[in-house]
Amino acid sequence: MSPRKAVVAALATALLAGPGVAQAATPQTTAAPAPARDRAAAATITWSLVRASNPTEDQRSAYDLITRAMNAAVARYNNLSDLGKTLTVRYEPGVPTADGNINGTIRFGSNRSYMNERTALHEISHTIGVGTSSGWSRLGGSGTWTGGQATALVRQYDGSGAKISTGGGHFWPYGLNYDNEWSATAADRHVHIVAAMVRDGL
């Protein structure tokens, strides 16, 4: 296993093990660093949950579900991409579902059915620029994503005629806009497509 993959694996394990900001573990074995030209620029998504100092039972329950959802989603992003972002997550019962902002804020409302990995992945994509950046307007404003890398990827997945449709700040397929779109394969493809959108200029 390469040193970078060992770090990513350790990071994913740390994220799934506990709440809050993930920190990469240092590999136990000492290996010569790869030449600079062979190293990927490894960024990391980190997150923290804003908690009440004296939480109610409702808040404690929400914090537990949000923590599990965010740990799983962040681990998936960090394992499958080199995207970087610092996220601040809040539980705000007045939010109808959940939302994500390019400033790095994600808010979950009181509806427990949205406190899952699918929603967390979807909202992370908004913090990265899906539906929220000038690149999104430029490349997705026509109703079809026009960036070459993400388009090539969806064609690899779904055939030569496939395209990424855009509208209302969302994309499909693989946008994970609804729970019925969920599968582990769709989740992995979601991350790969968002990363490709970033390379396209998202």
Side-chain angles (χ1 to χ4, degrees):
M1 181 181 284
S2 72
R4 184 177 181 283
K5 286 190 176 177
V7 170
V8 169
L11 176 60
T13 300
L15 279 165
L16 291 170
V21 178
Q23 298 183 3
T26 304
Q28 296 302 312
T29 58
T30 304
R37 68 181 182 281
D38 295 335
R39 270 185 261 142
T44 304
I45 295 175
T46 60
W47 75 282
S48 59
L49 177 62
V50 177
R51 297 173 183 263
S53 57
N54 187 20
T56 63
E57 182 57 37
D58 173 71
Q59 289 170 322
R60 283 194 297 271
S61 165
Y63 295 162
D64 287 346
L65 291 169
I66 291 167
T67 295
R68 272 180 267 176
M70 287 299 300
N71 278 343
V74 169
R76 193 179 298 268
Y77 262 101
N78 286 339
N79 189 42
L80 299 177
S81 79
D82 286 323
L83 297 174
K85 194 80 180 186
T86 300
L87 306 176
T88 301
V89 181
R90 299 177 183 275
Y91 172 51
E92 295 190 9
V95 173
T97 56
D99 58 39
N101 189 296
I102 199 163
N103 70 9
T105 300
I106 293 175
R107 304 183 305 164
F108 286 87
S110 61
N111 188 330
R112 274 25 181 195
S113 68
Y114 291 96
M115 295 178 186
N116 57 33
E117 183 184 356
R118 193 277 307 167
T119 302
L121 288 165
H122 176 90
E123 301 309 339
I124 289 170
S125 77
H126 287 314
T127 72
I128 291 168
V130 169
T132 58
S133 70
S134 59
W136 173 266
S137 300
R138 182 171 47 83
L139 294 163
S142 68
T144 300
W145 184 260
T146 59
Q149 296 210 31
T151 300
L153 192 56
V154 80
R155 287 177 178 167
Q156 178 185 323
Y157 295 149
D158 294 342
S160 59
K163 66 176 185 175
I164 298 172
S165 297
T166 59
H170 299 91
F171 72 88
W172 60 93
Y174 308 115
L176 301 182
N177 303 299
Y178 302 99
D179 280 341
N180 64 6
E181 298 175 52
W182 173 260
S183 71
T185 297
D188 288 352
R189 290 179 177 184
H190 169 86
V191 172
H192 288 305
I193 286 175
V194 172
M197 286 178 164
V198 170
R199 293 192 300 274
D200 281 335
L202 178 65

